Amino acid sequence: MGSLFSSSISLRKSVRISDDEFLLLRDFIYEKSGIFVDVKRKYLFESRFSKHLGELGLSSFSDYIKYLKFDVKKAEELPRLFELVTTNETSFCRDLRQLDVFKVNVLDEILNEQRKAGKLELNIWSAGCSSGEEPYTLAILLHESLKRELPLWKIKITAVDLSRTMIEQAQKGVYGEYAFKTTSDDIRKKYFTKESEGWKVKPEVQKLVHFQQMNLNDSQSLKKVARSHIVFCRNVVIYFDEAMKKKVVGSFYDNLLPGGYLMLGHSETLHKISQAFKPLYHPGSIAYKKQG
Amino acid sequence: MGIKCFEELTAGMILASDLKASDGRLLFKAGTEIEARHIELLKRVGVAEVDVEAGACELSDGMLLEIEDYVRDFFLYVNPDSEPVVEMFRISLALTGDAVARGWCLPDIIQRRASNVEHMEDLFLKGMGSPETIVMHEAELASFPDIYFRIKEVLEDDSASATRIAKVVSTDMSLAAKLIKLVNSPLYGFPQTIDSISRAVALIGAKELSTLALGISAINYFKDIPPELVDMKKFWRHSITCGLLAKILATTQTGLSPERFFIAGLLHDVGRLIMFKKLPYASTEAMLFARENSIPLVEAERSTMDFCHTDISRPLLEAWKFPEGLSNMINFHHNPMEFPNPLEPAIIHLADNLTNAMEIAQGGMYVLPGVDEQAWEILGIQADPVLRDAVEQCQEQIDTILGAFF
């Protein structure tokens, strides 16, 4: 087999991380973000961080850990660290079946209850909103549900994410083709305008959503989120260990108004995490209703 | 790459196909490196055009870097100092470089994302189906092909005559046809053509032929997998390649009968097919999760479903009463050291990784799962040249063997 590449080309490009360094870094990340990194991903870490270490002019992971803990710029480094440990792929209307379950079995019920109580108010919390596709999808869903009634309502969707870059991107509200892979053309034309960079979400959708950088491991800032009727937290807790899952779900419980709902991602469940919610099984999705 | 006219020919170029004179006479075989004296000869013979392989000079430095980055992405998860892994990296580079030189385009980011399966529904919600209940549901719904059990019966009967085995296998025409094609393929490498099942039984042995028949009838069982979820041809190509490599690698060990490894490789991912059938949406979530996080599919399955495809194959192969030795190779191909006698599963483990490395040059989707260090030690082989030789052998044989299946 001939090759266009040198027969002695090496695979290692990165600084080596020792087992001790890995554990230190992992504990640091866990302490700051609640994200748990399995030891199996050690090499993935090496390669992901290696370029960044070079940019900082550091030659070992020990130096990087010192930098994170003691450097004058450590506060600036934290968001960068978070970027490196999170992934942010999503799209509009991801998991259509769940959204359908949500609309029919959760949203309509809550809207009706609010109407009955004469309080045309709705708070939704989108926790781990990435680049904004989920909260905007929810805002569009509300436009579609309430139609002309919408101006009478006071609606606030609080959308938070660990990554500052993602929040900035979400605030811009401009998306490429890939984000629309499961969205109908009608919806796209109705709620987005074509710009040179992509499709920009229209102001009437954007004004329902308030973005904010937030660390779900920071209980104090979670307490400042307005109490919600619904919490969406999809494909986030999958990165947490059991203790952190319990902690975050506990915060959602405290934040939810009586009878409020928690929606998780398709591959996530409260099984073994919390019994304070009643799971309502629908074809394709589970909605968790706050008890007590 | 491609056809060069005689004037462009220089020493050092490699023939991409057999070079024949105008009267059909073979001058040089594909792969020959052209030397100055060859050019002289070709001039005398009057050859006008020559099909040569791409040389490094024909891919720009920028392109080579792009290829290297592309290939590196598939090795993010594995130990960059591991001997077999480094060799696999070099093999992938060589194959990918070659593919690009022949006109293959590196897949862009969109092509590397999962397709949309929003319309598909899982039969089990998260947390509601264990591997056992999922397999039970499958086993109750669809019965395994009758021919499979009849072959198994003969296989277990030591006194069964060659004629009886031939008779049972021959009742299924399409199965018999596939078997004939396979025994005539390089998988066995017999010099003469074998034209009947009874002749095949006589040559390769009753047990061997029945095992092969068992594996093929198992494949037939999975016909109704949604095509938008998984390209079944690609899936079987992966499986057959893994089987072939496993068989080739098994010859490096003493005292193993290599043909069994073909079947184990052929069915090593069979658990995944049940996942596609029962949990199509969750399977896609796992695929997305794997790609988003640069982790192997098997890890993504564990994260998103709490179990992986070998957890499914275990009860499945048990329900099918599949021969135990083969089942163990399949069930432990991701963690060979957890099996008391790890040598056999270690071969499938290595072959699976090597298959993934080969597939990078064909638009593979997932990072390599990595070679277990202890498993590698047990095999006691030299990565260079054993792995490269295995890949070369595989490339020579794979098309004929695929042809027997499709």
Side-chain angles (χ1 to χ4, degrees), chain B residues 141-168:
Chain B
L141 260 187
S143 66
F144 212 57
D146 184 42
I147 181 82
Y148 172 93
F149 292 103
R150 276 189 283 142
I151 296 168
K152 232 185 101 52
E153 211 175 286
V154 246
L155 185 59
E156 281 159 3
D157 179 1
D158 289 335
S159 65
S161 67
T163 351
R164 199 177 131 218
I165 291 165
K167 220 168 152 185
V168 169

Side-chain angles (χ1 to χ4, degrees), chain A residues 178 181, chain B residues 110 112-116 284 287-288 291 365:
Chain A
Y178 183 73
K181 63 174 181 170
Chain B
I110 291 178
R112 292 181 62 192
R113 284 165 157 160
S115 57
N116 169 27
T284 323
M287 296 192 253
L288 274 172
R291 267 174 262 176
M365 287 287 200

Side-chain angles (χ1 to χ4, degrees), chain A residues 1 4 7-12 16 40 43-44 47 87 89 95-97 178 182 239 266-267 269, chain B residues 56 59 72 76-77 79-81 85 90 94 113 116 118-120 122 126 281 292-293 299 304 392:
Chain A
M1 188 190 310
L4 302 176
S7 61
S8 59
I9 188 168
S10 67
L11 182 53
R12 172 168 292 285
R16 195 171 273 113
K40 284 182 186 153
Y43 302 114
L44 200 56
S47 42
T87 48
E89 187 162 326
D95 201 344
L96 292 171
R97 196 166 295 107
Y178 183 73
T182 54
Y239 294 99
H266 184 272
S267 52
T269 157
Chain B
L59 292 181
R72 277 187 190 281
L76 282 175
Y77 183 80
N79 181 356
D81 303 317
V85 163
R90 290 173 185 156
R113 284 165 157 160
N116 169 27
E118 288 289 342
H119 60 285
M120 284 189 212
D122 290 348
K126 169 85 176 185
Y281 200 91
E292 286 167 11
N293 294 284
E299 287 309 318
T304 59
E392 277 175 6

Side-chain angles (χ1 to χ4, degrees), chain B residues 131 275 298-299 301-302 306-313 334:
Chain B
M275 285 182 167
V298 59
E299 287 309 318
E301 287 169 357
R302 287 194 190 112
D306 298 331
F307 51 80
C308 71
H309 59 282
T310 54
D311 296 322
I312 296 275
S313 67
H334 281 294

Side-chain angles (χ1 to χ4, degrees), chain B residues 268-331:
Chain B
H268 75 289
D269 275 345
V270 72
R272 212 159 256 163
L273 293 177
I274 299 290
M275 285 182 167
F276 292 142
K277 280 181 90 164
K278 300 292 162 189
L279 304 163
Y281 200 91
S283 301
T284 323
E285 291 280 316
M287 296 192 253
L288 274 172
F289 195 76
R291 267 174 262 176
E292 286 167 11
N293 294 284
S294 302
I295 59 171
L297 196 46
V298 59
E299 287 309 318
E301 287 169 357
R302 287 194 190 112
S303 298
T304 59
M305 307 186 200
D306 298 331
F307 51 80
C308 71
H309 59 282
T310 54
D311 296 322
I312 296 275
S313 67
R314 198 162 292 133
L316 179 76
L317 296 171
E318 221 174 86
W320 287 354
K321 302 194 168 51
F322 207 67
E324 209 180 335
L326 287 169
S327 300
N328 291 330
M329 287 195 243
I330 295 167
N331 295 335

Side-chain angles (χ1 to χ4, degrees), chain A residues 73-281:
Chain A
K73 287 187 185 158
K74 65 177 185 184
E76 279 170 45
E77 179 56 20
L78 218 47
R80 188 72 198 107
L81 173 76
F82 293 157
E83 314 270 293
L84 286 167
V85 294
T86 52
T87 48
N88 300 294
E89 187 162 326
T90 180
S91 63
F92 289 101
C93 309
R94 174 143 174 204
D95 201 344
L96 292 171
R97 196 166 295 107
Q98 184 190 31
L99 288 174
D100 200 42
V101 165
F102 167 71
K103 194 195 160 308
V104 175
N105 301 289
V106 175
L107 185 62
D108 290 354
E109 175 194 310
I110 289 191
L111 292 177
N112 280 332
E113 276 173 13
Q114 292 297 91
R115 283 184 193 112
K116 261 187 251 162
K119 283 198 286 189
L120 300 188
E121 243 185 69
L122 181 71
N123 286 336
I124 299 180
W125 180 9
S126 161
C129 66
S130 189
S131 40
E133 287 86 338
E134 175 182 282
Y136 287 139
T137 299
L138 296 173
I140 290 169
L141 208 60
L142 286 168
H143 270 279
E144 291 287 295
S145 270
L146 294 169
K147 299 193 175 82
R148 284 190 196 154
E149 197 192 334
L150 189 114
L152 305 174
W153 282 73
K154 198 178 149 208
I155 291 170
K156 184 177 181 187
I157 300 173
T158 306
V160 310
D161 198 87
L162 180 63
S163 159
R164 203 176 283 166
T165 318
M166 284 299 127
I167 290 297
E168 282 162 12
Q169 217 169 302
Q171 279 165 333
K172 263 176 77 185
V174 181
Y175 300 92
E177 288 298 324
Y178 183 73
F180 296 96
K181 63 174 181 170
T182 54
T183 310
S184 73
D185 282 349
D186 292 349
I187 292 288
R188 180 182 343 193
K189 279 184 196 132
K190 203 164 158 190
Y191 297 104
F192 295 85
T193 40
K194 184 95 182 84
E195 289 190 349
S196 56
E197 282 176 75
W199 295 80
K200 183 169 170 58
V201 64
K202 286 188 175 172
E204 65 260 36
V205 175
Q206 207 160 16
K207 72 174 187 197
L208 301 183
V209 188
H210 302 262
F211 289 101
Q212 183 180 344
Q213 191 270 336
M214 191 179 285
N215 185 342
L216 293 181
N217 197 28
D218 177 0
S219 310
Q220 285 312 309
S221 57
L222 298 197
K223 281 183 186 148
K224 291 178 196 147
V225 177
R227 295 197 69 187
S228 317
H229 301 89
I230 299 152
V231 174
F232 259 81
C233 184
R234 299 196 292 176
N235 306 313
V236 174
V237 298
I238 195 166
Y239 294 99
F240 297 152
D241 72 342
E242 210 169 297
M244 179 65 189
K245 277 181 188 155
K246 283 183 177 157
K247 182 176 162 186
V248 172
V249 168
S251 302
F252 293 154
Y253 183 88
D254 294 340
N255 172 276
L256 279 168
L257 292 157
Y261 283 94
L262 171 62
M263 304 296 291
L264 296 173
H266 184 272
S267 52
E268 296 160 329
T269 157
L270 289 189
H271 184 61
K272 288 192 216 158
I273 302 300
S274 170
Q275 300 195 340
F277 292 85
K278 186 178 178 200
L280 302 173
Y281 296 98

Side-chain angles (χ1 to χ4, degrees), chain B residues 4 33 55 59 83 94 104 128 143-144 153-154 160 167 206 231 245 297 330 359 365 398 400-401 406:
Chain B
K4 296 261 180 223
E33 186 176 335
L59 292 181
E83 187 199 345
W104 183 63
M128 292 177 76
S143 66
F144 212 57
E153 211 175 286
V154 246
K167 220 168 152 185
D231 179 342
L245 284 171
L297 196 46
I330 295 167
E359 283 169 343
M365 287 287 200
I398 188 74
T400 328
I401 294 167
F406 303 112

